[in-house]
Amino acid sequence: FNIVGPGYFTTLGIPLTQGRDFADADSDGTPMVIVVNQAMARRFWPNQNPIGRRITTDSTAWYSIVGVAGDVRQMGLRADSESEVYMSYLQDPFQWPYLSLLVRASSNPVKLFPSIEQAVWSVDKDQPLSIPITLDQVRSNSIAQPRIAALLLGLFAGAALLLAAVGLYGVVSYWVAERTHEIGVRMALGARSFDVFVSVVGRGLLLALLGTAFGLAGSLAVTRVLASFLFSVRPTDPLTFAAVALLLMCVALVASYFPARRAAKVDPIVALRYE
């Protein structure tokens, strides 16, 4: 249950898909009205028009549905939308001990805080006000824990990527050093520097391709575990997998470039005397 006033949906940008918003005329002593969200309309009146339907919570008061509002994630971005009812505080203004004042601003809302305080106190100078907060801050606070987890995972992933690049560089460099004599023979027999460069880079990319293939297979195997950390992204999102694979191949290309460049500059005479 949400206790709101006229203009609530407009202020927060929540669309009304059917019916109307609350009005000042919906006050104490008038027939009780409510607005439900789309999740509730789908649950209780599938493929029907809920406008005009009546519901009750304790059989003492009946409420008529006058509007259907879009679904909102009230309990955080990771929580699914549930059935919700919006009631007008004007129809029972003395029941609610405290409410929140929502203000929609076209500029920086922080600058409006002093003006909002003065506007409230002009109505009731003894009205206490809690610390003001913007909706961006509310949203940020709701995902603070997942953000920290994502940051830590990102740092570990970055460290793993750096270690993979260093390891690939070391493997390719060792392979070039071990085959300096072979490279010299090939160049003495007419192989071009470009061919040697492509051969070394190709070997590095082949190792990266095999590692990426095993990594993607492992990622697909643990998608159920990752699902609890994701929001608005499927665990098997093809764009994410493709982007990560492309990033790894780019890192492999950079790690293979320097050993390949060194191999392409091998002097055949020096290489033939290597052993």
Side-chain angles (χ1 to χ4, degrees), residues 160-236:
L161 183 62
L162 179 61
L163 290 175
V166 172
L168 182 62
Y169 173 84
V171 169
V172 176
S173 295
Y174 178 78
W175 182 79
V176 171
E178 287 291 304
R179 286 164 175 75
T180 300
H181 180 70
E182 175 188 332
I183 293 172
V185 172
R186 290 178 59 187
M187 296 185 70
L189 294 176
R192 297 177 301 172
S193 298
F194 178 76
D195 296 331
V196 174
F197 179 87
V198 172
S199 176
V200 175
V201 170
R203 182 174 181 82
L205 291 180
L206 177 61
L207 292 174
L209 184 62
L210 292 174
T212 302
F214 282 110
L216 290 176
S219 299
L220 290 173
V222 297
T223 51
R224 292 185 178 180
V225 178
L226 296 175
S228 60
F229 294 95
L230 302 177
F231 168 69
S232 294
V233 178
R234 292 181 301 168
T236 56

Coordinates of all heavy atoms in Angstrom, one line a residue, residues 160-236:
A160 N 43.2 -10.3 -13.3 CA 43.3 -11.6 -14.0 C 43.6 -11.3 -15.5 O 44.5 -12.0 -16.1 CB 42.0 -12.4 -13.9
L161 N 43.1 -10.3 -16.1 CA 43.4 -9.9 -17.4 C 44.8 -9.5 -17.6 O 45.5 -9.9 -18.5 CB 42.4 -8.8 -17.9 CG 42.6 -8.3 -19.4 CD1 42.2 -9.5 -20.3 CD2 41.6 -7.1 -19.6
L162 N 45.3 -8.7 -16.6 CA 46.7 -8.3 -16.7 C 47.7 -9.5 -16.5 O 48.7 -9.6 -17.3 CB 47.0 -7.3 -15.5 CG 48.4 -6.8 -15.4 CD1 48.8 -6.0 -16.7 CD2 48.6 -5.9 -14.2
L163 N 47.3 -10.4 -15.6 CA 48.2 -11.6 -15.5 C 48.1 -12.5 -16.8 O 49.2 -13.0 -17.2 CB 47.7 -12.4 -14.3 CG 47.9 -11.8 -12.9 CD1 47.3 -12.7 -11.8 CD2 49.4 -11.7 -12.7
A164 N 47.0 -12.5 -17.4 CA 46.8 -13.3 -18.6 C 47.7 -12.7 -19.7 O 48.4 -13.4 -20.5 CB 45.4 -13.4 -19.1
A165 N 47.7 -11.3 -19.8 CA 48.5 -10.6 -20.8 C 50.0 -10.9 -20.6 O 50.7 -11.1 -21.5 CB 48.2 -9.2 -20.8
V166 N 50.4 -10.7 -19.3 CA 51.8 -11.0 -19.0 C 52.2 -12.4 -19.3 O 53.3 -12.7 -19.8 CB 52.1 -10.6 -17.5 CG1 53.5 -11.0 -17.1 CG2 51.9 -9.1 -17.3
G167 N 51.3 -13.3 -18.9 CA 51.6 -14.7 -19.2 C 51.7 -15.0 -20.6 O 52.7 -15.8 -21.1
L168 N 50.8 -14.5 -21.4 CA 50.9 -14.7 -22.9 C 52.1 -14.1 -23.5 O 52.8 -14.7 -24.4 CB 49.6 -14.1 -23.5 CG 49.5 -14.3 -25.1 CD1 49.4 -15.8 -25.4 CD2 48.3 -13.6 -25.6
Y169 N 52.5 -12.9 -23.0 CA 53.7 -12.2 -23.5 C 54.9 -13.1 -23.2 O 55.8 -13.3 -24.0 CB 53.9 -10.9 -22.8 CG 55.2 -10.2 -23.1 CD1 55.3 -9.4 -24.3 CD2 56.2 -10.3 -22.3 CE1 56.5 -8.8 -24.6 CE2 57.4 -9.6 -22.5 CZ 57.6 -8.9 -23.7 OH 58.8 -8.3 -23.9
G170 N 54.9 -13.7 -22.0 CA 56.1 -14.5 -21.6 C 56.2 -15.8 -22.4 O 57.2 -16.2 -22.8
V171 N 55.0 -16.4 -22.7 CA 55.0 -17.6 -23.4 C 55.5 -17.4 -24.9 O 56.3 -18.1 -25.4 CB 53.6 -18.3 -23.4 CG1 53.5 -19.4 -24.5 CG2 53.2 -18.8 -22.1
V172 N 54.9 -16.3 -25.5 CA 55.3 -16.0 -26.9 C 56.8 -15.6 -27.0 O 57.5 -16.0 -27.9 CB 54.4 -14.9 -27.5 CG1 54.8 -14.6 -28.9 CG2 52.9 -15.4 -27.5
S173 N 57.3 -14.8 -26.0 CA 58.7 -14.4 -26.0 C 59.6 -15.6 -25.8 O 60.6 -15.7 -26.5 CB 58.9 -13.4 -24.8 OG 58.2 -12.2 -25.0
Y174 N 59.2 -16.6 -25.0 CA 60.0 -17.8 -24.8 C 60.0 -18.6 -26.1 O 61.1 -19.1 -26.4 CB 59.4 -18.6 -23.6 CG 60.1 -19.9 -23.4 CD1 61.4 -19.9 -22.7 CD2 59.6 -21.1 -23.8 CE1 62.0 -21.1 -22.5 CE2 60.2 -22.3 -23.6 CZ 61.5 -22.3 -22.9 OH 62.1 -23.5 -22.7
W175 N 58.8 -18.7 -26.7 CA 58.8 -19.4 -27.9 C 59.7 -18.8 -29.0 O 60.3 -19.5 -29.8 CB 57.3 -19.4 -28.4 CG 57.1 -20.2 -29.7 CD1 57.0 -21.6 -29.8 CD2 56.9 -19.7 -31.0 NE1 56.8 -21.9 -31.1 CE2 56.7 -20.8 -31.9 CE3 57.0 -18.4 -31.5 CZ2 56.6 -20.6 -33.3 CZ3 56.8 -18.2 -32.9 CH2 56.6 -19.3 -33.7
V176 N 59.7 -17.5 -29.1 CA 60.6 -16.8 -30.1 C 62.0 -17.1 -29.7 O 62.9 -17.3 -30.6 CB 60.3 -15.3 -30.1 CG1 61.3 -14.5 -30.9 CG2 58.9 -15.0 -30.6
A177 N 62.4 -17.0 -28.4 CA 63.8 -17.2 -28.0 C 64.2 -18.6 -28.3 O 65.4 -18.8 -28.8 CB 63.9 -16.9 -26.5
E178 N 63.4 -19.6 -28.1 CA 63.7 -21.0 -28.4 C 63.8 -21.3 -29.9 O 64.5 -22.2 -30.3 CB 62.6 -21.9 -27.8 CG 62.6 -22.0 -26.3 CD 63.9 -22.7 -25.8 OE1 64.1 -23.9 -26.2 OE2 64.6 -22.1 -25.0
R179 N 63.2 -20.5 -30.7 CA 63.2 -20.8 -32.1 C 64.0 -19.7 -32.9 O 63.7 -19.5 -34.1 CB 61.8 -20.9 -32.6 CG 61.1 -22.2 -32.2 CD 59.6 -22.2 -32.3 NE 59.1 -23.5 -32.0 CZ 59.0 -24.0 -30.8 NH1 59.4 -23.3 -29.8 NH2 58.4 -25.2 -30.6
T180 N 64.9 -19.0 -32.3 CA 65.6 -18.0 -33.0 C 66.4 -18.6 -34.1 O 66.5 -18.0 -35.2 CB 66.6 -17.3 -32.0 OG1 65.8 -16.7 -30.9 CG2 67.4 -16.2 -32.7
H181 N 67.0 -19.7 -33.9 CA 67.8 -20.4 -34.9 C 66.9 -20.8 -36.1 O 67.2 -20.6 -37.3 CB 68.5 -21.6 -34.4 CG 69.3 -22.4 -35.4 ND1 70.5 -21.9 -35.9 CD2 69.1 -23.6 -36.0 CE1 71.0 -22.8 -36.8 NE2 70.1 -23.8 -36.8
E182 N 65.7 -21.4 -35.8 CA 64.8 -21.8 -36.8 C 64.3 -20.6 -37.6 O 64.2 -20.6 -38.8 CB 63.6 -22.4 -36.1 CG 62.4 -22.8 -37.1 CD 61.2 -23.3 -36.4 OE1 61.3 -23.9 -35.2 OE2 60.1 -23.1 -36.9
I183 N 64.0 -19.4 -36.9 CA 63.6 -18.2 -37.6 C 64.7 -17.7 -38.5 O 64.4 -17.3 -39.7 CB 63.2 -17.2 -36.6 CG1 61.9 -17.6 -35.8 CG2 62.9 -15.8 -37.3 CD1 61.6 -16.7 -34.6
G184 N 65.9 -17.8 -38.1 CA 67.0 -17.3 -38.9 C 67.2 -18.2 -40.1 O 67.4 -17.7 -41.2
V185 N 67.0 -19.5 -40.0 CA 67.1 -20.4 -41.2 C 66.0 -20.0 -42.2 O 66.2 -20.0 -43.4 CB 67.0 -21.9 -40.7 CG1 66.8 -22.8 -41.9 CG2 68.2 -22.2 -39.9
R186 N 64.8 -19.8 -41.7 CA 63.7 -19.5 -42.6 C 63.9 -18.2 -43.3 O 63.6 -18.1 -44.5 CB 62.4 -19.4 -41.7 CG 61.9 -20.7 -41.2 CD 60.6 -20.6 -40.4 NE 59.5 -20.0 -41.1 CZ 58.4 -19.6 -40.6 NH1 58.2 -19.7 -39.3 NH2 57.5 -19.0 -41.4
M187 N 64.5 -17.2 -42.6 CA 64.7 -15.9 -43.2 C 65.9 -16.1 -44.2 O 65.9 -15.4 -45.3 CB 65.0 -14.9 -42.2 CG 63.8 -14.6 -41.3 SD 64.1 -13.2 -40.1 CE 64.1 -11.8 -41.2
A188 N 66.9 -16.9 -43.9 CA 68.0 -17.1 -44.8 C 67.5 -17.8 -46.1 O 68.1 -17.6 -47.2 CB 69.1 -17.9 -44.1
L189 N 66.5 -18.6 -46.0 CA 65.9 -19.3 -47.1 C 64.9 -18.5 -47.9 O 64.3 -19.0 -48.9 CB 65.3 -20.6 -46.7 CG 66.2 -21.7 -46.1 CD1 65.5 -22.9 -45.6 CD2 67.3 -22.1 -47.2
G190 N 64.7 -17.2 -47.5 CA 63.8 -16.3 -48.2 C 62.6 -15.9 -47.6 O 61.8 -15.2 -48.2
A191 N 62.3 -16.3 -46.3 CA 61.1 -15.9 -45.6 C 61.2 -14.4 -45.4 O 62.2 -13.9 -45.0 CB 60.9 -16.7 -44.3
R192 N 60.1 -13.7 -45.6 CA 60.1 -12.3 -45.3 C 59.8 -12.0 -43.9 O 59.2 -12.8 -43.1 CB 59.0 -11.6 -46.2 CG 59.2 -11.7 -47.7 CD 58.0 -11.1 -48.5 NE 56.7 -11.8 -48.1 CZ 55.6 -11.3 -48.5 NH1 55.5 -10.2 -49.2 NH2 54.5 -11.9 -48.1
S193 N 60.2 -10.8 -43.5 CA 60.0 -10.4 -42.1 C 58.5 -10.4 -41.7 O 58.1 -10.7 -40.6 CB 60.6 -9.0 -41.8 OG 62.0 -9.0 -42.0
F194 N 57.7 -9.9 -42.7 CA 56.3 -9.9 -42.5 C 55.7 -11.3 -42.2 O 54.8 -11.4 -41.4 CB 55.6 -9.2 -43.7 CG 54.1 -9.2 -43.6 CD1 53.5 -8.2 -42.7 CD2 53.3 -10.1 -44.2 CE1 52.1 -8.2 -42.6 CE2 51.9 -10.0 -44.1 CZ 51.3 -9.1 -43.3
D195 N 56.2 -12.3 -43.0 CA 55.7 -13.6 -42.7 C 56.1 -14.1 -41.3 O 55.2 -14.8 -40.7 CB 56.3 -14.6 -43.8 CG 55.9 -14.2 -45.2 OD1 54.7 -13.7 -45.3 OD2 56.6 -14.5 -46.2
V196 N 57.3 -13.8 -40.9 CA 57.7 -14.2 -39.6 C 56.8 -13.5 -38.5 O 56.3 -14.1 -37.5 CB 59.1 -13.9 -39.3 CG1 59.5 -14.2 -37.9 CG2 60.0 -14.7 -40.3
F197 N 56.5 -12.2 -38.7 CA 55.7 -11.5 -37.8 C 54.3 -12.1 -37.7 O 53.8 -12.3 -36.6 CB 55.7 -10.0 -38.3 CG 54.8 -9.1 -37.4 CD1 55.3 -8.5 -36.3 CD2 53.5 -8.9 -37.7 CE1 54.6 -7.7 -35.5 CE2 52.7 -8.1 -36.9 CZ 53.2 -7.5 -35.8
V198 N 53.7 -12.4 -38.8 CA 52.4 -13.0 -38.8 C 52.4 -14.3 -38.2 O 51.4 -14.7 -37.4 CB 51.8 -13.0 -40.3 CG1 50.5 -13.8 -40.3 CG2 51.6 -11.7 -40.9
S199 N 53.4 -15.1 -38.4 CA 53.5 -16.4 -37.8 C 53.5 -16.3 -36.3 O 52.8 -17.1 -35.6 CB 54.7 -17.2 -38.3 OG 54.8 -18.4 -37.6
V200 N 54.3 -15.4 -35.7 CA 54.4 -15.3 -34.3 C 53.1 -14.8 -33.7 O 52.6 -15.3 -32.7 CB 55.6 -14.4 -33.9 CG1 55.6 -14.2 -32.4 CG2 56.9 -15.0 -34.4
V201 N 52.5 -13.7 -34.3 CA 51.3 -13.2 -33.8 C 50.2 -14.2 -33.9 O 49.3 -14.3 -33.0 CB 50.9 -11.9 -34.6 CG1 49.5 -11.5 -34.3 CG2 51.9 -10.8 -34.3
G202 N 50.2 -15.0 -35.0 CA 49.2 -16.0 -35.1 C 49.2 -17.0 -34.0 O 48.2 -17.5 -33.5
R203 N 50.5 -17.4 -33.6 CA 50.6 -18.4 -32.5 C 50.0 -17.8 -31.2 O 49.3 -18.5 -30.5 CB 52.0 -18.8 -32.4 CG 52.2 -19.8 -31.3 CD 53.7 -20.3 -31.2 NE 53.8 -21.3 -30.2 CZ 53.5 -22.6 -30.3 NH1 53.0 -23.0 -31.5 NH2 53.7 -23.5 -29.3
G204 N 50.3 -16.5 -31.0 CA 49.8 -15.9 -29.8 C 48.3 -15.8 -29.8 O 47.6 -16.1 -28.8
L205 N 47.7 -15.5 -30.9 CA 46.2 -15.4 -31.0 C 45.6 -16.8 -30.9 O 44.5 -16.9 -30.4 CB 45.9 -14.7 -32.4 CG 46.2 -13.2 -32.5 CD1 45.7 -12.7 -33.9 CD2 45.5 -12.4 -31.4
L206 N 46.3 -17.8 -31.4 CA 45.8 -19.2 -31.3 C 45.7 -19.6 -29.8 O 44.7 -20.1 -29.4 CB 46.6 -20.1 -32.1 CG 46.2 -21.6 -32.0 CD1 44.8 -21.8 -32.6 CD2 47.3 -22.5 -32.7
L207 N 46.7 -19.3 -29.1 CA 46.7 -19.6 -27.6 C 45.6 -18.8 -26.9 O 44.8 -19.4 -26.1 CB 48.0 -19.2 -27.0 CG 49.2 -20.0 -27.4 CD1 50.5 -19.5 -26.8 CD2 49.1 -21.5 -27.0
A208 N 45.4 -17.5 -27.3 CA 44.3 -16.7 -26.7 C 43.0 -17.2 -27.1 O 42.0 -17.2 -26.3 CB 44.5 -15.3 -27.1
L209 N 42.8 -17.7 -28.4 CA 41.5 -18.2 -28.8 C 41.1 -19.5 -28.1 O 40.0 -19.6 -27.7 CB 41.6 -18.5 -30.3 CG 40.3 -18.9 -31.0 CD1 39.3 -17.8 -30.9 CD2 40.6 -19.3 -32.5
L210 N 42.1 -20.3 -27.9 CA 41.8 -21.6 -27.1 C 41.4 -21.2 -25.7 O 40.5 -21.8 -25.1 CB 43.0 -22.5 -27.1 CG 43.4 -23.1 -28.5 CD1 44.7 -23.9 -28.4 CD2 42.3 -24.0 -29.0
G211 N 42.2 -20.3 -25.1 CA 41.9 -19.9 -23.7 C 40.5 -19.2 -23.6 O 39.7 -19.5 -22.6
T212 N 40.2 -18.4 -24.6 CA 38.9 -17.7 -24.6 C 37.7 -18.7 -24.7 O 36.7 -18.6 -24.1 CB 38.8 -16.7 -25.7 OG1 39.9 -15.7 -25.5 CG2 37.5 -16.0 -25.7
A213 N 38.0 -19.7 -25.6 CA 36.9 -20.8 -25.8 C 36.6 -21.5 -24.5 O 35.5 -21.7 -24.1 CB 37.4 -21.7 -26.9
F214 N 37.7 -21.9 -23.8 CA 37.5 -22.6 -22.5 C 36.9 -21.7 -21.5 O 36.0 -22.1 -20.7 CB 38.9 -23.1 -22.0 CG 39.3 -24.4 -22.6 CD1 40.4 -24.3 -23.5 CD2 38.7 -25.6 -22.4 CE1 40.9 -25.5 -24.1 CE2 39.1 -26.7 -23.1 CZ 40.2 -26.7 -23.9
G215 N 37.3 -20.4 -21.5 CA 36.7 -19.4 -20.6 C 35.2 -19.2 -20.8 O 34.4 -19.1 -19.8
L216 N 34.8 -19.1 -22.1 CA 33.4 -18.9 -22.4 C 32.6 -20.1 -22.0 O 31.5 -20.0 -21.4 CB 33.2 -18.6 -23.9 CG 33.7 -17.3 -24.4 CD1 33.6 -17.2 -25.9 CD2 33.0 -16.1 -23.7
A217 N 33.1 -21.3 -22.2 CA 32.4 -22.5 -21.8 C 32.3 -22.5 -20.2 O 31.2 -22.9 -19.7 CB 33.2 -23.7 -22.2
G218 N 33.3 -22.1 -19.5 CA 33.2 -22.1 -18.1 C 32.2 -21.0 -17.6 O 31.4 -21.2 -16.6
S219 N 32.1 -19.9 -18.3 CA 31.2 -18.8 -18.0 C 29.8 -19.3 -18.1 O 28.9 -19.0 -17.3 CB 31.5 -17.6 -18.8 OG 32.8 -17.1 -18.6
L220 N 29.5 -20.0 -19.2 CA 28.2 -20.5 -19.5 C 27.7 -21.5 -18.4 O 26.6 -21.6 -18.0 CB 28.1 -21.1 -20.8 CG 28.2 -20.2 -22.0 CD1 28.3 -21.0 -23.3 CD2 26.9 -19.3 -22.1
A221 N 28.7 -22.2 -17.8 CA 28.4 -23.2 -16.8 C 28.0 -22.5 -15.5 O 27.4 -23.2 -14.6 CB 29.6 -24.1 -16.6
V222 N 28.5 -21.3 -15.2 CA 28.2 -20.7 -13.9 C 27.2 -19.5 -14.0 O 27.2 -18.6 -13.2 CB 29.5 -20.2 -13.3 CG1 30.4 -21.3 -13.0 CG2 30.2 -19.2 -14.1
T223 N 26.5 -19.5 -15.1 CA 25.5 -18.3 -15.3 C 24.5 -18.2 -14.2 O 24.0 -17.1 -13.9 CB 24.8 -18.5 -16.7 OG1 24.3 -19.8 -16.8 CG2 25.8 -18.2 -17.8
R224 N 24.1 -19.3 -13.7 CA 23.1 -19.3 -12.6 C 23.6 -18.6 -11.4 O 22.8 -17.9 -10.7 CB 22.6 -20.7 -12.2 CG 21.8 -21.4 -13.4 CD 21.3 -22.8 -12.9 NE 20.6 -23.4 -13.9 CZ 20.0 -24.6 -13.8 NH1 20.1 -25.3 -12.6 NH2 19.3 -25.2 -14.8
V225 N 24.9 -18.7 -11.1 CA 25.5 -18.0 -10.0 C 25.5 -16.5 -10.2 O 25.3 -15.7 -9.4 CB 26.8 -18.6 -9.7 CG1 27.5 -17.9 -8.5 CG2 26.8 -20.1 -9.4
L226 N 25.9 -16.2 -11.5 CA 26.0 -14.8 -11.8 C 24.7 -14.0 -11.9 O 24.6 -12.8 -11.8 CB 26.7 -14.6 -13.2 CG 28.1 -15.2 -13.3 CD1 28.6 -15.1 -14.7 CD2 29.0 -14.3 -12.4
A227 N 23.6 -14.7 -12.1 CA 22.3 -14.1 -12.3 C 21.9 -13.2 -11.1 O 21.3 -12.1 -11.3 CB 21.2 -15.2 -12.5
S228 N 22.3 -13.5 -9.9 CA 21.9 -12.7 -8.7 C 22.7 -11.4 -8.6 O 22.3 -10.5 -7.9 CB 22.2 -13.5 -7.4 OG 23.5 -13.9 -7.3
F229 N 23.7 -11.3 -9.4 CA 24.5 -10.0 -9.4 C 24.2 -9.1 -10.6 O 24.7 -8.0 -10.6 CB 26.0 -10.4 -9.5 CG 26.6 -11.1 -8.3 CD1 26.7 -12.5 -8.3 CD2 27.0 -10.4 -7.2 CE1 27.2 -13.2 -7.2 CE2 27.5 -11.1 -6.1 CZ 27.6 -12.5 -6.1
L230 N 23.3 -9.5 -11.4 CA 23.0 -8.7 -12.6 C 21.7 -8.0 -12.6 O 20.7 -8.5 -11.9 CB 23.0 -9.7 -13.9 CG 24.3 -10.4 -14.1 CD1 24.2 -11.4 -15.3 CD2 25.5 -9.5 -14.3
F231 N 21.6 -6.9 -13.2 CA 20.3 -6.1 -13.3 C 20.1 -5.7 -14.8 O 21.0 -5.1 -15.4 CB 20.3 -4.9 -12.4 CG 19.2 -3.9 -12.7 CD1 17.9 -4.3 -12.3 CD2 19.5 -2.7 -13.2 CE1 16.9 -3.4 -12.6 CE2 18.4 -1.8 -13.5 CZ 17.1 -2.2 -13.2
S232 N 19.0 -6.1 -15.3 CA 18.6 -5.7 -16.7 C 19.6 -6.3 -17.7 O 19.7 -5.8 -18.9 CB 18.6 -4.2 -16.9 OG 17.5 -3.7 -16.1
V233 N 20.4 -7.3 -17.4 CA 21.3 -8.0 -18.3 C 21.1 -9.5 -18.1 O 21.2 -10.0 -16.9 CB 22.7 -7.6 -18.0 CG1 23.7 -8.4 -19.0 CG2 22.9 -6.1 -18.2
R234 N 20.9 -10.2 -19.1 CA 20.8 -11.7 -19.0 C 22.2 -12.3 -18.7 O 23.2 -11.8 -19.2 CB 20.2 -12.3 -20.3 CG 18.7 -11.9 -20.6 CD 18.3 -12.5 -21.8 NE 19.1 -12.1 -23.0 CZ 19.1 -12.7 -24.2 NH1 18.3 -13.7 -24.4 NH2 19.8 -12.3 -25.1
P235 N 22.2 -13.4 -17.9 CA 23.5 -14.0 -17.7 C 24.2 -14.5 -18.9 O 25.4 -14.6 -19.0 CB 23.1 -15.2 -16.8 CG 21.8 -14.8 -16.1 CD 21.1 -14.0 -17.2
T236 N 23.4 -14.8 -20.0 CA 23.9 -15.3 -21.2 C 23.8 -14.2 -22.3 O 23.6 -14.6 -23.5 CB 23.2 -16.6 -21.7 OG1 21.8 -16.3 -21.7 CG2 23.4 -17.7 -20.7

